[in-house]
Short mmCIF file of all heavy atoms in Angstrom, two decimals:
data_model
loop_
_atom_site.label_atom_id
_atom_site.label_comp_id
_atom_site.label_asym_id
_atom_site.label_seq_id
_atom_site.Cartn_x
_atom_site.Cartn_y
_atom_site.Cartn_z
N MET L 30 -0.54 7.15 5.72
CA MET L 30 0.32 7.03 6.80
C MET L 30 1.77 7.10 6.37
O MET L 30 2.11 6.49 5.37
CB MET L 30 0.05 5.77 7.56
CG MET L 30 0.95 5.48 8.63
SD MET L 30 0.54 4.04 9.63
CE MET L 30 0.46 2.74 8.54
N ARG L 31 2.55 7.90 7.07
CA ARG L 31 4.00 7.96 6.74
C ARG L 31 4.73 6.96 7.64
O ARG L 31 4.41 6.74 8.76
CB ARG L 31 4.48 9.39 6.92
CG ARG L 31 3.91 10.30 5.93
CD ARG L 31 4.42 11.73 6.23
NE ARG L 31 3.52 12.26 7.23
CZ ARG L 31 3.80 13.24 7.99
NH1 ARG L 31 4.96 13.81 7.91
NH2 ARG L 31 2.96 13.69 8.98
N VAL L 32 5.86 6.43 7.10
CA VAL L 32 6.66 5.52 7.92
C VAL L 32 7.94 6.31 8.24
O VAL L 32 8.28 7.33 7.67
CB VAL L 32 7.07 4.26 7.11
CG1 VAL L 32 5.79 3.40 6.85
CG2 VAL L 32 7.73 4.59 5.79
N PRO L 33 8.77 5.74 9.15
CA PRO L 33 10.01 6.42 9.60
C PRO L 33 10.93 6.75 8.35
O PRO L 33 11.02 5.85 7.41
CB PRO L 33 10.71 5.44 10.47
CG PRO L 33 9.65 4.60 10.97
CD PRO L 33 8.61 4.47 9.91
N GLY L 34 11.49 7.86 8.24
CA GLY L 34 12.34 8.26 7.23
C GLY L 34 13.64 7.46 7.33
O GLY L 34 13.83 6.68 8.24
N PRO L 35 14.61 7.74 6.53
CA PRO L 35 15.85 6.98 6.45
C PRO L 35 16.65 7.14 7.79
O PRO L 35 17.36 6.28 8.16
CB PRO L 35 16.67 7.51 5.27
CG PRO L 35 15.96 8.76 4.87
CD PRO L 35 14.57 8.71 5.41
N GLY L 36 16.48 8.24 8.40
CA GLY L 36 17.23 8.41 9.72
C GLY L 36 17.03 7.27 10.70
O GLY L 36 17.87 6.52 11.04
N PRO L 37 15.81 7.17 11.24
CA PRO L 37 15.54 6.08 12.24
C PRO L 37 15.77 4.69 11.67
O PRO L 37 16.23 3.81 12.32
CB PRO L 37 14.06 6.27 12.63
CG PRO L 37 13.74 7.69 12.33
CD PRO L 37 14.62 7.98 11.00
N ALA L 38 15.26 4.41 10.43
CA ALA L 38 15.48 3.10 9.81
C ALA L 38 16.92 2.77 9.70
O ALA L 38 17.26 1.66 10.04
CB ALA L 38 14.78 3.01 8.49
N GLU L 39 17.69 3.69 9.22
CA GLU L 39 19.15 3.47 9.12
C GLU L 39 19.81 3.21 10.48
O GLU L 39 20.65 2.31 10.58
CB GLU L 39 19.84 4.63 8.43
CG GLU L 39 19.56 4.67 7.01
CD GLU L 39 20.14 5.95 6.36
OE1 GLU L 39 20.72 6.76 7.04
OE2 GLU L 39 19.99 6.07 5.06
N ARG L 40 19.35 3.95 11.49
CA ARG L 40 19.94 3.66 12.86
C ARG L 40 19.56 2.22 13.35
O ARG L 40 20.44 1.58 13.91
CB ARG L 40 19.38 4.64 13.84
CG ARG L 40 20.12 6.01 13.68
CD ARG L 40 19.87 6.95 14.90
NE ARG L 40 18.48 6.97 15.36
CZ ARG L 40 17.59 7.89 15.04
NH1 ARG L 40 18.05 8.88 14.26
NH2 ARG L 40 16.41 7.81 15.53
N LEU L 41 18.35 1.79 13.06
CA LEU L 41 17.94 0.46 13.46
C LEU L 41 18.82 -0.64 12.77
O LEU L 41 19.26 -1.55 13.32
CB LEU L 41 16.51 0.20 13.19
CG LEU L 41 15.49 0.90 14.15
CD1 LEU L 41 14.17 0.62 13.72
CD2 LEU L 41 15.78 0.51 15.61
N ILE L 42 18.85 -0.48 11.46
CA ILE L 42 19.71 -1.45 10.61
C ILE L 42 21.17 -1.41 10.97
O ILE L 42 21.88 -2.46 10.98
CB ILE L 42 19.52 -1.17 9.09
CG1 ILE L 42 18.00 -1.41 8.74
CG2 ILE L 42 20.37 -2.06 8.27
CD1 ILE L 42 17.51 -2.73 9.01
N ALA L 43 21.70 -0.22 11.36
CA ALA L 43 23.09 -0.17 11.71
C ALA L 43 23.24 -0.87 13.12
O ALA L 43 24.38 -1.45 13.40
CB ALA L 43 23.53 1.30 11.82
N THR L 44 22.30 -0.84 14.01
CA THR L 44 22.37 -1.58 15.28
C THR L 44 22.32 -3.06 15.14
O THR L 44 23.03 -3.73 15.71
CB THR L 44 21.20 -1.06 16.15
OG1 THR L 44 21.27 0.34 16.25
CG2 THR L 44 21.29 -1.70 17.46
N ALA L 45 21.46 -3.55 14.23
CA ALA L 45 21.31 -5.00 14.00
C ALA L 45 20.62 -5.18 12.67
O ALA L 45 19.66 -4.41 12.37
CB ALA L 45 20.60 -5.67 15.13
N PRO L 46 20.95 -6.23 12.01
CA PRO L 46 20.23 -6.45 10.67
C PRO L 46 18.85 -7.13 10.79
O PRO L 46 18.14 -7.11 9.84
CB PRO L 46 21.22 -7.37 9.94
CG PRO L 46 21.96 -8.15 10.95
CD PRO L 46 22.02 -7.18 12.15
N HIS L 47 18.56 -7.76 11.98
CA HIS L 47 17.29 -8.49 12.09
C HIS L 47 16.57 -7.92 13.29
O HIS L 47 17.08 -7.81 14.41
CB HIS L 47 17.60 -9.93 12.27
CG HIS L 47 18.47 -10.56 11.18
ND1 HIS L 47 18.03 -10.77 9.85
CD2 HIS L 47 19.75 -10.95 11.21
CE1 HIS L 47 19.04 -11.20 9.17
NE2 HIS L 47 20.03 -11.36 9.94
N TRP L 48 15.27 -7.76 13.11
CA TRP L 48 14.39 -7.18 14.07
C TRP L 48 13.10 -7.97 14.21
O TRP L 48 12.64 -8.51 13.19
CB TRP L 48 14.11 -5.75 13.85
CG TRP L 48 15.25 -4.87 14.02
CD1 TRP L 48 16.21 -4.55 13.05
CD2 TRP L 48 15.75 -4.24 15.16
NE1 TRP L 48 17.16 -3.80 13.51
CE2 TRP L 48 16.88 -3.54 14.88
CE3 TRP L 48 15.22 -4.11 16.46
CZ2 TRP L 48 17.60 -2.77 15.77
CZ3 TRP L 48 15.91 -3.39 17.35
CH2 TRP L 48 17.06 -2.76 17.01
N ILE L 49 12.45 -7.98 15.39
CA ILE L 49 11.18 -8.50 15.51
C ILE L 49 10.42 -7.41 16.39
O ILE L 49 10.92 -6.75 17.18
CB ILE L 49 11.17 -9.85 16.16
CG1 ILE L 49 9.73 -10.49 16.10
CG2 ILE L 49 11.65 -9.75 17.67
CD1 ILE L 49 9.69 -11.92 16.37
N GLY L 50 9.07 -7.36 16.09
CA GLY L 50 8.28 -6.35 16.83
C GLY L 50 7.03 -7.03 17.45
O GLY L 50 6.48 -7.96 16.89
N ALA L 51 6.66 -6.62 18.63
CA ALA L 51 5.45 -7.08 19.26
C ALA L 51 4.66 -5.90 19.65
O ALA L 51 5.21 -4.87 20.09
CB ALA L 51 5.85 -7.91 20.49
N PRO L 52 3.29 -5.98 19.50
CA PRO L 52 2.48 -4.88 19.95
C PRO L 52 2.66 -4.51 21.30
O PRO L 52 2.84 -5.35 22.18
CB PRO L 52 1.05 -5.40 19.68
CG PRO L 52 1.22 -6.53 18.75
CD PRO L 52 2.56 -7.13 19.02
N GLY L 53 2.77 -3.16 21.61
CA GLY L 53 2.87 -2.65 22.93
C GLY L 53 1.45 -2.00 23.30
O GLY L 53 0.42 -2.52 22.92
N GLU L 54 1.50 -0.86 23.86
CA GLU L 54 0.31 -0.15 24.32
C GLU L 54 -0.43 0.39 23.05
O GLU L 54 0.25 0.85 22.11
CB GLU L 54 0.69 1.04 25.16
CG GLU L 54 -0.47 1.82 25.69
CD GLU L 54 -0.11 2.91 26.54
OE1 GLU L 54 1.08 3.09 26.92
OE2 GLU L 54 -0.96 3.75 26.95
N VAL L 55 -1.69 0.25 23.03
CA VAL L 55 -2.55 0.70 21.94
C VAL L 55 -3.67 1.59 22.55
O VAL L 55 -4.42 1.13 23.38
CB VAL L 55 -3.17 -0.43 21.13
CG1 VAL L 55 -4.02 0.14 20.06
CG2 VAL L 55 -2.07 -1.24 20.50
N THR L 56 -3.68 2.85 22.09
CA THR L 56 -4.79 3.75 22.53
C THR L 56 -5.39 4.37 21.28
O THR L 56 -4.98 4.04 20.17
CB THR L 56 -4.26 4.83 23.44
OG1 THR L 56 -3.44 5.74 22.68
CG2 THR L 56 -3.50 4.27 24.62
N GLU L 57 -6.38 5.17 21.53
CA GLU L 57 -6.99 5.85 20.41
C GLU L 57 -6.06 6.80 19.62
O GLU L 57 -6.19 6.99 18.46
CB GLU L 57 -8.18 6.73 20.92
CG GLU L 57 -9.04 7.33 19.87
CD GLU L 57 -10.27 8.03 20.38
OE1 GLU L 57 -10.98 7.38 21.28
OE2 GLU L 57 -10.44 9.19 20.10
N ASP L 58 -5.08 7.31 20.36
CA ASP L 58 -4.09 8.21 19.77
C ASP L 58 -2.67 7.68 19.46
O ASP L 58 -2.00 8.27 18.64
CB ASP L 58 -3.90 9.43 20.70
CG ASP L 58 -5.25 10.24 20.95
OD1 ASP L 58 -5.96 10.38 19.97
OD2 ASP L 58 -5.49 10.60 22.05
N LEU L 59 -2.27 6.62 20.13
CA LEU L 59 -0.93 6.08 20.00
C LEU L 59 -0.96 4.55 19.77
O LEU L 59 -1.79 3.85 20.47
CB LEU L 59 -0.08 6.44 21.19
CG LEU L 59 0.23 7.87 21.44
CD1 LEU L 59 0.96 8.00 22.80
CD2 LEU L 59 1.07 8.41 20.25
N VAL L 60 -0.11 4.12 19.00
CA VAL L 60 0.15 2.59 18.83
C VAL L 60 1.65 2.43 19.03
O VAL L 60 2.48 3.11 18.42
CB VAL L 60 -0.28 2.07 17.53
CG1 VAL L 60 0.17 0.59 17.33
CG2 VAL L 60 -1.74 2.33 17.33
N THR L 61 2.06 1.52 19.88
CA THR L 61 3.48 1.28 20.18
C THR L 61 3.80 -0.15 19.76
O THR L 61 2.99 -1.05 19.84
CB THR L 61 3.93 1.46 21.62
OG1 THR L 61 3.26 0.59 22.42
CG2 THR L 61 3.66 2.95 22.05
N ILE L 62 5.02 -0.24 19.20
CA ILE L 62 5.52 -1.63 18.81
C ILE L 62 6.90 -1.73 19.63
O ILE L 62 7.79 -0.84 19.43
CB ILE L 62 5.72 -1.64 17.38
CG1 ILE L 62 4.42 -1.50 16.62
CG2 ILE L 62 6.37 -3.03 16.98
CD1 ILE L 62 4.50 -1.39 15.16
N GLU L 63 7.03 -2.79 20.32
CA GLU L 63 8.31 -3.12 21.04
C GLU L 63 9.22 -3.82 20.06
O GLU L 63 8.92 -4.88 19.68
CB GLU L 63 7.99 -3.91 22.28
CG GLU L 63 6.99 -3.24 23.23
CD GLU L 63 7.40 -1.88 23.77
OE1 GLU L 63 8.65 -1.72 24.01
OE2 GLU L 63 6.54 -1.12 24.08
N LEU L 64 10.36 -3.28 19.76
CA LEU L 64 11.25 -3.83 18.82
C LEU L 64 12.54 -4.44 19.55
O LEU L 64 13.09 -3.84 20.36
CB LEU L 64 11.80 -2.71 17.82
CG LEU L 64 10.77 -2.01 17.01
CD1 LEU L 64 11.31 -0.78 16.29
CD2 LEU L 64 10.07 -3.00 16.05
N ALA L 65 12.90 -5.66 19.16
CA ALA L 65 13.99 -6.31 19.72
C ALA L 65 14.95 -6.74 18.53
O ALA L 65 14.50 -7.32 17.54
CB ALA L 65 13.55 -7.56 20.49
N ALA L 66 16.21 -6.53 18.72
CA ALA L 66 17.22 -6.94 17.74
C ALA L 66 17.44 -8.42 17.87
O ALA L 66 17.44 -8.92 19.04
CB ALA L 66 18.55 -6.13 17.93
N LEU L 67 17.68 -9.07 16.80
CA LEU L 67 17.94 -10.52 16.87
C LEU L 67 19.27 -10.81 16.15
O LEU L 67 19.67 -10.10 15.18
CB LEU L 67 16.87 -11.29 16.08
CG LEU L 67 15.45 -11.15 16.65
CD1 LEU L 67 14.41 -11.89 15.69
CD2 LEU L 67 15.32 -11.71 18.07
N PRO L 68 19.98 -11.89 16.52
CA PRO L 68 21.25 -12.20 15.87
C PRO L 68 21.02 -12.85 14.50
O PRO L 68 21.93 -12.89 13.66
CB PRO L 68 21.93 -13.21 16.83
CG PRO L 68 20.83 -13.79 17.64
CD PRO L 68 19.80 -12.75 17.70
N ARG L 69 19.87 -13.40 14.30
CA ARG L 69 19.54 -14.13 13.10
C ARG L 69 18.11 -13.79 12.72
O ARG L 69 17.32 -13.38 13.59
CB ARG L 69 19.64 -15.64 13.25
CG ARG L 69 21.01 -16.15 13.51
CD ARG L 69 21.09 -17.67 13.68
NE ARG L 69 20.66 -18.11 15.00
CZ ARG L 69 21.36 -17.88 16.14
NH1 ARG L 69 22.43 -17.15 16.05
NH2 ARG L 69 21.06 -18.39 17.27
N PRO L 70 17.63 -14.04 11.47
CA PRO L 70 16.28 -13.84 11.16
C PRO L 70 15.32 -14.69 12.09
O PRO L 70 15.73 -15.82 12.47
CB PRO L 70 16.10 -14.31 9.72
CG PRO L 70 17.49 -14.22 9.21
CD PRO L 70 18.40 -14.47 10.32
N TRP L 71 14.19 -14.11 12.45
CA TRP L 71 13.26 -14.82 13.38
C TRP L 71 12.55 -15.97 12.58
O TRP L 71 12.31 -15.87 11.41
CB TRP L 71 12.22 -13.78 13.88
CG TRP L 71 11.27 -14.38 14.85
CD1 TRP L 71 11.44 -14.72 16.17
CD2 TRP L 71 9.92 -14.88 14.59
NE1 TRP L 71 10.41 -15.25 16.70
CE2 TRP L 71 9.40 -15.32 15.78
CE3 TRP L 71 9.19 -14.78 13.42
CZ2 TRP L 71 8.10 -15.88 15.84
CZ3 TRP L 71 7.90 -15.29 13.45
CH2 TRP L 71 7.33 -15.82 14.69
N ARG L 72 12.29 -17.03 13.32
CA ARG L 72 11.56 -18.16 12.73
C ARG L 72 10.42 -18.46 13.66
O ARG L 72 10.35 -18.14 14.87
CB ARG L 72 12.57 -19.40 12.73
CG ARG L 72 13.71 -19.10 11.82
CD ARG L 72 14.03 -20.26 11.03
NE ARG L 72 15.18 -20.04 10.19
CZ ARG L 72 15.17 -19.89 8.86
NH1 ARG L 72 14.06 -19.87 8.31
NH2 ARG L 72 16.30 -19.67 8.21
N LEU L 73 9.32 -19.12 13.14
CA LEU L 73 8.14 -19.46 13.83
C LEU L 73 8.39 -20.26 15.13
O LEU L 73 7.65 -20.10 16.12
CB LEU L 73 7.21 -20.19 12.93
CG LEU L 73 6.50 -19.33 11.90
CD1 LEU L 73 5.70 -20.27 11.04
CD2 LEU L 73 5.60 -18.26 12.56
N ASN L 74 9.40 -21.09 15.13
CA ASN L 74 9.67 -21.94 16.24
C ASN L 74 10.52 -21.24 17.44
O ASN L 74 10.89 -21.92 18.32
CB ASN L 74 10.37 -23.26 15.91
CG ASN L 74 11.72 -23.07 15.24
OD1 ASN L 74 12.01 -21.95 14.93
ND2 ASN L 74 12.42 -24.14 15.16
N VAL L 75 10.84 -19.98 17.30
CA VAL L 75 11.60 -19.16 18.22
C VAL L 75 10.72 -18.28 18.95
O VAL L 75 9.83 -17.52 18.39
CB VAL L 75 12.70 -18.38 17.45
CG1 VAL L 75 13.48 -17.56 18.41
CG2 VAL L 75 13.66 -19.33 16.65
N ALA L 76 10.77 -18.29 20.30
CA ALA L 76 10.04 -17.39 21.13
C ALA L 76 10.37 -15.97 20.94
O ALA L 76 11.52 -15.68 20.64
CB ALA L 76 10.15 -17.84 22.57
N PHE L 77 9.39 -15.12 21.15
CA PHE L 77 9.63 -13.71 21.09
C PHE L 77 10.65 -13.29 22.23
O PHE L 77 10.50 -13.92 23.32
CB PHE L 77 8.36 -12.93 21.23
CG PHE L 77 7.65 -12.66 19.99
CD1 PHE L 77 7.35 -13.76 19.09
CD2 PHE L 77 7.21 -11.42 19.66
CE1 PHE L 77 6.69 -13.54 17.93
CE2 PHE L 77 6.49 -11.20 18.45
CZ PHE L 77 6.20 -12.27 17.61
N PRO L 78 11.56 -12.40 22.05
CA PRO L 78 12.43 -11.96 23.08
C PRO L 78 11.59 -11.32 24.24
O PRO L 78 10.57 -10.76 24.00
CB PRO L 78 13.32 -10.86 22.43
CG PRO L 78 13.21 -11.17 21.00
CD PRO L 78 11.89 -11.75 20.81
N GLN L 79 12.10 -11.43 25.46
CA GLN L 79 11.36 -10.90 26.65
C GLN L 79 11.77 -9.50 26.91
O GLN L 79 11.42 -8.95 27.96
CB GLN L 79 11.64 -11.79 27.79
CG GLN L 79 11.04 -13.17 27.71
CD GLN L 79 9.57 -13.19 27.56
OE1 GLN L 79 8.87 -12.53 28.21
NE2 GLN L 79 9.09 -13.89 26.47
N ARG L 80 12.59 -8.93 26.05
CA ARG L 80 13.06 -7.56 26.26
C ARG L 80 12.86 -6.82 24.89
O ARG L 80 12.81 -7.35 23.80
CB ARG L 80 14.49 -7.44 26.67
CG ARG L 80 15.47 -8.33 25.81
CD ARG L 80 16.26 -7.55 24.76
NE ARG L 80 17.03 -8.43 23.94
CZ ARG L 80 16.95 -8.64 22.72
NH1 ARG L 80 16.00 -7.94 22.03
NH2 ARG L 80 17.72 -9.39 22.02
N ALA L 81 12.80 -5.46 24.99
CA ALA L 81 12.79 -4.64 23.85
C ALA L 81 13.98 -3.68 23.80
O ALA L 81 14.43 -3.29 24.91
CB ALA L 81 11.45 -3.78 23.83
N ASP L 82 14.53 -3.45 22.67
CA ASP L 82 15.67 -2.58 22.49
C ASP L 82 15.19 -1.15 22.11
O ASP L 82 15.83 -0.19 22.61
CB ASP L 82 16.59 -3.11 21.41
CG ASP L 82 17.15 -4.47 21.76
OD1 ASP L 82 17.77 -4.62 22.89
OD2 ASP L 82 17.01 -5.39 20.96
N PHE L 83 14.15 -1.07 21.38
CA PHE L 83 13.62 0.29 20.99
C PHE L 83 12.07 0.10 20.98
O PHE L 83 11.53 -0.90 20.97
CB PHE L 83 14.03 0.54 19.52
CG PHE L 83 15.44 0.99 19.41
CD1 PHE L 83 16.49 0.06 19.18
CD2 PHE L 83 15.84 2.34 19.53
CE1 PHE L 83 17.77 0.42 19.08
CE2 PHE L 83 17.12 2.72 19.44
CZ PHE L 83 18.13 1.74 19.18
N THR L 84 11.46 1.26 21.08
CA THR L 84 9.98 1.35 20.93
C THR L 84 9.63 2.27 19.80
O THR L 84 10.16 3.42 19.73
CB THR L 84 9.38 1.87 22.25
OG1 THR L 84 9.72 0.99 23.32
CG2 THR L 84 7.85 2.04 22.16
N ALA L 85 8.85 1.82 18.90
CA ALA L 85 8.33 2.58 17.80
C ALA L 85 6.96 3.00 18.13
O ALA L 85 6.11 2.21 18.51
CB ALA L 85 8.37 1.80 16.51
N THR L 86 6.64 4.34 18.09
CA THR L 86 5.36 4.89 18.40
C THR L 86 4.82 5.53 17.31
O THR L 86 5.38 6.44 16.73
CB THR L 86 5.47 5.83 19.64
OG1 THR L 86 6.18 5.13 20.73
CG2 THR L 86 4.11 6.28 20.09
N LEU L 87 3.56 5.20 16.89
CA LEU L 87 2.80 5.83 15.81
C LEU L 87 1.81 6.83 16.42
O LEU L 87 0.96 6.40 17.27
CB LEU L 87 2.03 4.79 14.96
CG LEU L 87 1.03 5.35 13.97
CD1 LEU L 87 1.74 6.18 12.97
CD2 LEU L 87 0.26 4.18 13.37
N GLY L 88 1.88 8.02 16.05
CA GLY L 88 0.87 9.04 16.40
C GLY L 88 -0.20 8.81 15.40
O GLY L 88 -0.08 9.18 14.23
N VAL L 89 -1.32 8.27 15.81
CA VAL L 89 -2.46 7.87 14.93
C VAL L 89 -2.96 9.13 14.18
O VAL L 89 -3.17 9.02 12.98
CB VAL L 89 -3.60 7.24 15.78
CG1 VAL L 89 -4.82 6.92 14.87
CG2 VAL L 89 -3.01 5.90 16.32
N ARG L 90 -3.26 10.19 14.80
CA ARG L 90 -3.86 11.35 14.14
C ARG L 90 -2.83 12.03 13.23
O ARG L 90 -3.26 12.46 12.14
CB ARG L 90 -4.26 12.40 15.17
CG ARG L 90 -5.39 11.81 16.05
CD ARG L 90 -6.03 12.79 17.00
NE ARG L 90 -6.78 12.19 18.10
CZ ARG L 90 -7.84 11.58 18.00
NH1 ARG L 90 -8.39 11.36 16.86
NH2 ARG L 90 -8.51 11.12 19.10
N SER L 91 -1.59 12.09 13.55
CA SER L 91 -0.58 12.78 12.64
C SER L 91 -0.03 11.80 11.62
O SER L 91 0.53 12.22 10.64
CB SER L 91 0.55 13.32 13.52
OG SER L 91 1.30 12.24 14.10
N GLY L 92 -0.08 10.46 11.91
CA GLY L 92 0.53 9.49 10.96
C GLY L 92 1.99 9.48 10.99
O GLY L 92 2.64 9.05 10.07
N THR L 93 2.58 9.95 12.08
CA THR L 93 4.07 9.97 12.15
C THR L 93 4.63 9.04 13.20
O THR L 93 3.89 8.69 14.17
CB THR L 93 4.61 11.40 12.52
OG1 THR L 93 4.03 11.82 13.81
CG2 THR L 93 4.19 12.42 11.48
N TRP L 94 5.76 8.52 12.95
CA TRP L 94 6.35 7.54 13.82
C TRP L 94 7.52 8.21 14.66
O TRP L 94 8.18 9.16 14.11
CB TRP L 94 7.07 6.45 12.96
CG TRP L 94 6.13 5.48 12.42
CD1 TRP L 94 5.50 5.58 11.21
CD2 TRP L 94 5.55 4.28 13.04
NE1 TRP L 94 4.63 4.51 11.00
CE2 TRP L 94 4.70 3.70 12.08
CE3 TRP L 94 5.83 3.66 14.21
CZ2 TRP L 94 4.04 2.47 12.33
CZ3 TRP L 94 5.14 2.44 14.45
CH2 TRP L 94 4.29 1.91 13.55
N ARG L 95 7.78 7.64 15.84
CA ARG L 95 8.90 8.13 16.63
C ARG L 95 9.60 6.79 17.09
O ARG L 95 8.89 5.87 17.60
CB ARG L 95 8.47 8.99 17.81
CG ARG L 95 9.60 9.53 18.65
CD ARG L 95 9.13 10.45 19.66
NE ARG L 95 8.34 9.75 20.74
CZ ARG L 95 8.80 9.13 21.77
NH1 ARG L 95 10.13 9.08 21.98
NH2 ARG L 95 8.05 8.59 22.65
N ILE L 96 10.87 6.66 16.91
CA ILE L 96 11.66 5.50 17.50
C ILE L 96 12.57 6.02 18.59
O ILE L 96 13.31 6.94 18.35
CB ILE L 96 12.38 4.79 16.31
CG1 ILE L 96 11.38 4.31 15.32
CG2 ILE L 96 13.24 3.70 16.85
CD1 ILE L 96 12.00 3.72 14.09
N ALA L 97 12.52 5.30 19.70
CA ALA L 97 13.30 5.69 20.83
C ALA L 97 13.83 4.43 21.56
O ALA L 97 13.14 3.41 21.40
CB ALA L 97 12.47 6.57 21.77
N PRO L 98 14.91 4.52 22.29
CA PRO L 98 15.41 3.42 23.04
C PRO L 98 14.34 3.04 23.97
O PRO L 98 13.53 3.77 24.56
CB PRO L 98 16.63 3.96 23.75
CG PRO L 98 17.12 5.04 22.96
CD PRO L 98 15.89 5.70 22.34
N ALA L 99 14.25 1.63 24.26
CA ALA L 99 13.13 1.18 25.16
C ALA L 99 13.50 1.65 26.64
O ALA L 99 14.69 1.81 26.89
CB ALA L 99 13.14 -0.36 25.07
N LYS L 100 12.54 1.71 27.39
CA LYS L 100 12.76 2.11 28.82
C LYS L 100 13.08 0.95 29.66
O LYS L 100 12.62 -0.13 29.49
CB LYS L 100 11.51 2.81 29.32
CG LYS L 100 11.36 4.14 28.60
CD LYS L 100 10.08 4.80 29.14
CE LYS L 100 9.82 6.09 28.29
NZ LYS L 100 8.56 6.72 28.68
#
C-alpha cells in the first residue's frame, strides 16, 4: 500500500501541525478517514472533534490515497 506523497502530507502539516483521524465510510473499494486539525496534540481525555477539515480516501484496489477538503 502506498501512502500520500509529500504533496498532500505537506499541505496538511502546513495547515496545522496536529491532526486526528476518525474512520468514515468503509466499503469493499474505499476507506475514508475524517481528519480534523487540532491546536495541540490530542490526548485520551479529549473528545474527538465533531467536524472534519479534510477527508483522506484510500482506494483499496489501487492502494492510493486522495486527500480533499471535507464536505
Side-chain angles (χ1 to χ4, degrees):
M30 175 171 57
R31 290 176 280 159
V32 297
E39 287 175 355
R40 284 196 313 262
L41 289 176
I42 297 301
T44 303
H47 307 290
W48 291 89
I49 190 165
E54 182 180 354
V55 177
T56 69
E57 187 175 308
D58 297 318
L59 295 173
V60 175
T61 61
I62 301 171
E63 305 297 329
L64 300 170
L67 301 174
R69 294 179 279 295
W71 182 78
R72 302 220 181 252
L73 287 174
N74 64 343
V75 176
F77 276 48
Q79 296 300 310
R80 49 98 181 120
D82 299 305
F83 288 90
T84 300
T86 305
L87 170 64
V89 174
R90 298 188 198 290
S91 66
T93 58
W94 288 92
R95 184 175 67 85
I96 299 175
K100 296 178 184 177

